[in-house]
């Protein structure tokens, strides 16, 4: 901020000093009122609730991790159970095949025994019918040989008997060999069946253990899920308490803001009522000095921060304009929309230095005001503080509302 000249300071006078006092008083009131009576307790409660909520969220995260691990282990156990069940089912199918083979071998062996019995009976019957003539088979056999008519006949009869006996021996050997082969095959089948049965018993024991483990793992998953649900329920209630506390804080802040604004408005109304510098006029008035002096004086406040509702030494847009013009004998109203009714309207094409330019910003109608300095430039108090701005920029041009001439040319 530039240093004021002696002449500018002398223009402030008693009224300016009183405004300084009022502004300081307003600031003190606002600062004292902006903190709600119960805010400290509410903020402490809110901090504790948020810390508790964060702790609960950490617990939820841990429970979710444990649940994921438990579910993964349960899934692995279930997959192992499925593999064992499939293997047991396959072994049972193979056992059934072996049992069927053993049954077929038993049937084949029985058929051989029946065939042996049948062939033996047939042979015995044949021999008995052909060669039995005396009291004993042996005597009949001798008589049959003695009864041969020649050597050749004797040889033929002996050869025939040997052939019959040989056939009988071969038949018995064949049947015995087949029976032994069947017996070996049956023994092998029984061994495989026993081996598979033992394997099934071993797998079944393992399967029983896995089923127990799966039941415990499922119980663990359910327990973790229940714990997580309870924690989340507590967290939900805590979040409701946080929301309620934040609502109470917001209500306290709003109440404090309303109180501070009401006190400010009360003080401002008193100031406007008693301030003899305040006035409303419908035609331009003569300036105490030159327009260039007014614009130069306004520039001494460049960089002063914007303060909503501020009155010298703090400014909003309308208090800045009111203060600058007041130092040169023109008594403007305090607020923008009242200033727009003072002086006379002037078109944008006919703007002159010292005219007031109005814009529609945060609400409909004239809600912002600046001092036109010429060449499309104004000086105003906005969010960036007291500064120069182009009324032809995209922002200000799109919000231009109108202009008023308050200085008699």
């Amino acid at each position: 901020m530039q240093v004021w000249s002696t002449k500018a300071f002398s223009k402030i006078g008693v009224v300016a000093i009183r405004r300084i006092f009022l502004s300081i008083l307003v600031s003190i009131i606002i600062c004292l009122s902006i903190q709600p009576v119960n805010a400290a307790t509410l903020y402490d409660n809110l901090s504790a609730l948020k810390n508790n909520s964060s702790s609960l969220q950490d617990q939820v995260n841990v429970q979710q991790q444990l649940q994921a691990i438990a579910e993964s282990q349960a899934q692995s156990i279930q997959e192992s159970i499925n593999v064992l069940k499939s293997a047991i089912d396959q072994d049972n199918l193979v056992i059934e095949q072996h049992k069927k083979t053993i049954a077929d071998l038993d049937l084949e062996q029985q058929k051989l025994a029946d065939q042996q019995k049948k062939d033996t009976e047939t042979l015995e019957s044949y021999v008995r019918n052909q060669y039995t003539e005396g009291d004993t088979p042996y005597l009949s056999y001798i008589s049959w040989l003695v009864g041969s008519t020649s050597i050749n006949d004797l040889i033929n009869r002996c050869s025939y008997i040997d052939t019959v006996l040989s056939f009988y021996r071969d038949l018995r050997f064949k049947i015995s060999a087949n029976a032994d082969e069947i017996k070996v095959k049956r023994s092998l089948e029984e061994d495989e069946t026993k081996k598979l049965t033992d394997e099934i018993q071993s797998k079944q024991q393992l399967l029983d253990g896995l089923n127990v483990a799966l039941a415990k793992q499922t119980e663990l998953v359910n327990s973790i899920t229940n714990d997580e649900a309870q924690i989340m329920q507590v967290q939900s209630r805590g979040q409701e308490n946080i929301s309620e506390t934040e609502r109470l804080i917001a209500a306290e802040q709003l109440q404090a803001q309303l109180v501070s604004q009401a006190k400010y408005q009360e003080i401002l109304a008193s100031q406007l009522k008693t301030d003899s510098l305040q006035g409303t006029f419908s035609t331009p008035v003569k300036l105490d000095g030159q327009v260039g002096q007014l614009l130069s004086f306004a520039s001494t406040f460049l960089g002063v921060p914007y303060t909503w509702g501020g009155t010298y030494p703090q400014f909003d847009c309308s208090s800045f304009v009111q203060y600058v013009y007041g130092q040169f004998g023109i008594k403007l109203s305090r607020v923008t929309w009242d200033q727009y009714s003072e002086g006379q309207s002037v078109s944008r094409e006919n703007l002159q230095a010292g005219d007031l330019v109005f814009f529609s910003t945060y609400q409909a109608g004239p809600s912002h005001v600046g001092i036109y300095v010429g060449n499309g430039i104004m000086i105003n108090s906005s969010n960036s503080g007291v500064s120069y701005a182009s009324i032809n920029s995209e922002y200000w041009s799109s919000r231009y509302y109108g202009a008023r001439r308050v200085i008699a040319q």
Side-chain angles (χ1 to χ4, degrees):
M1 182 187 297
Q2 300 179 9
V3 180
W4 296 359
S5 66
T6 304
K7 182 179 179 181
F9 184 80
S10 64
K11 286 180 176 289
I12 298 175
V14 176
V15 174
I17 294 174
R18 183 165 61 84
R19 288 189 176 186
I20 293 174
F21 174 76
L22 288 173
S23 297
I24 295 174
L25 180 60
V26 169
S27 299
I28 293 173
I29 292 174
I30 291 175
C31 290
L32 291 175
S33 303
I34 197 67
Q35 184 71 13
V37 176
N38 298 325
T41 301
L42 289 173
Y43 274 112
D44 290 342
N45 291 341
L46 181 61
S47 177
L49 288 171
K50 286 186 175 180
N51 289 337
N52 187 49
S53 178
S54 177
S55 176
L56 288 172
Q57 184 59 49
D58 291 340
Q59 294 181 40
V60 169
N61 293 339
V62 171
Q63 292 296 318
Q64 288 176 343
Q65 293 174 358
L66 292 176
Q67 182 179 7
I69 294 172
E71 288 178 347
S72 177
Q73 292 175 344
Q75 183 177 1
S76 297
I77 294 173
Q78 184 61 61
E79 290 175 355
S80 299
I81 289 174
N82 294 339
V83 170
L84 280 175
K85 284 184 176 180
S86 178
I88 290 175
D89 291 341
Q90 186 64 33
D91 288 344
N92 283 324
L93 289 177
V94 175
I95 287 176
E96 291 300 321
Q97 292 176 356
H98 283 304
K99 287 182 177 180
K100 183 177 184 304
T101 301
I102 289 173
D104 291 340
L105 290 173
D106 289 341
L107 180 61
E108 185 176 353
Q109 190 173 24
Q110 184 61 44
K111 288 181 178 179
L112 285 175
D114 292 343
Q115 183 66 39
Q116 181 181 11
K117 181 179 179 181
K118 181 179 179 181
D119 290 343
T120 299
E121 290 176 350
T122 300
L123 179 61
E124 290 176 350
S125 176
Y126 176 78
V127 171
R128 186 171 48 252
N129 291 334
Q130 293 293 325
Y131 309 117
T132 301
E133 294 179 358
D135 295 332
T136 64
Y138 175 76
L139 293 176
S140 297
Y141 173 71
I142 296 299
S143 298
W144 183 66
L145 289 177
V146 172
S148 57
T149 57
S150 64
I151 295 299
N152 289 333
D153 184 28
L154 177 62
I155 292 173
N156 289 336
R157 290 190 181 195
C158 288
S159 176
Y160 178 79
I161 292 173
D162 288 338
T163 300
V164 172
L165 294 176
S166 176
F167 174 79
Y168 178 71
R169 287 192 298 269
D170 291 342
L171 179 61
R172 291 188 61 185
F173 177 78
K174 180 178 179 181
I175 291 174
S176 177
N178 287 341
D180 290 341
E181 182 180 355
I182 290 173
K183 185 177 181 181
V184 171
K185 289 182 179 180
R186 193 179 191 283
S187 178
L188 292 175
E189 293 294 332
E190 286 178 344
D191 290 342
E192 288 297 321
T193 300
K194 185 178 184 304
K195 179 180 178 181
L196 287 174
T197 302
D198 292 340
E199 290 180 0
I200 288 177
Q201 289 178 350
S202 177
K203 291 175 182 177
Q204 186 62 51
Q205 290 176 354
L206 180 58
L207 181 62
D208 293 340
L210 288 175
N211 283 325
V212 173
L214 179 60
K216 291 182 178 179
Q217 200 68 20
T218 302
E219 183 179 354
L220 176 60
V221 170
N222 293 335
S223 176
I224 294 174
T225 302
N226 292 335
D227 291 343
E228 180 183 346
Q230 291 177 2
I231 295 173
M232 292 182 68
Q233 186 176 6
V234 173
Q235 186 183 34
S236 178
R237 289 197 296 268
Q239 190 59 48
E240 291 176 358
N241 292 334
I242 289 175
S243 299
E244 178 63 18
T245 303
E246 289 176 338
R247 186 191 68 79
L248 292 174
I249 290 175
E252 289 279 352
Q253 291 175 337
L254 177 60
Q255 182 64 27
Q257 184 179 4
L258 291 175
V259 170
S260 65
Q261 290 179 2
K263 290 181 179 180
Y264 169 74
Q265 293 295 337
E266 181 181 349
I267 295 172
L268 182 59
S270 176
Q271 175 187 346
L272 294 176
K273 181 178 180 181
T274 59
D275 192 353
S276 60
L277 297 178
Q278 179 65 34
T280 302
F281 53 94
S282 59
T283 58
V285 297
K286 185 174 177 56
L287 184 70
D288 291 344
Q290 302 297 321
V291 173
Q293 293 175 315
L294 181 145
L295 297 177
S296 178
F297 177 71
S299 70
T300 64
F301 297 98
L302 288 171
V304 174
Y306 175 88
T307 303
W308 182 88
T311 302
Y312 178 83
Q314 300 171 328
F315 294 122
D316 60 13
C317 63
S318 57
S319 67
F320 172 67
V321 171
Q322 181 197 43
Y323 183 76
V324 170
Y325 279 78
Q327 307 313 305
F328 292 85
I330 296 179
K331 320 308 175 189
L332 297 174
S333 298
R334 171 62 180 82
V335 293
T336 304
W337 45 86
D338 288 337
Q339 290 175 359
Y340 188 73
S341 66
E342 295 175 325
Q344 64 183 22
S345 176
V346 59
S347 65
R348 186 169 182 174
E349 293 77 14
N350 295 321
L351 286 173
Q352 294 181 4
D355 289 341
L356 302 181
V357 285
F358 294 85
F359 304 86
S360 178
T361 54
Y362 65 90
Q363 66 179 21
S367 55
H368 183 76
V369 62
I371 304 171
Y372 188 69
V373 300
N375 297 320
I377 303 299
M378 69 171 175
I379 185 171
N380 72 124
S381 178
S382 62
N383 290 337
S384 56
V386 177
S387 60
Y388 289 110
S390 172
I391 67 173
N392 296 321
S393 68
E394 181 180 355
Y395 179 83
W396 292 113
S397 180
S398 63
R399 290 166 174 77
Y400 185 83
Y401 190 81
R404 304 293 291 185
R405 183 161 295 160
V406 297
I407 301 175
Q409 301 295 326

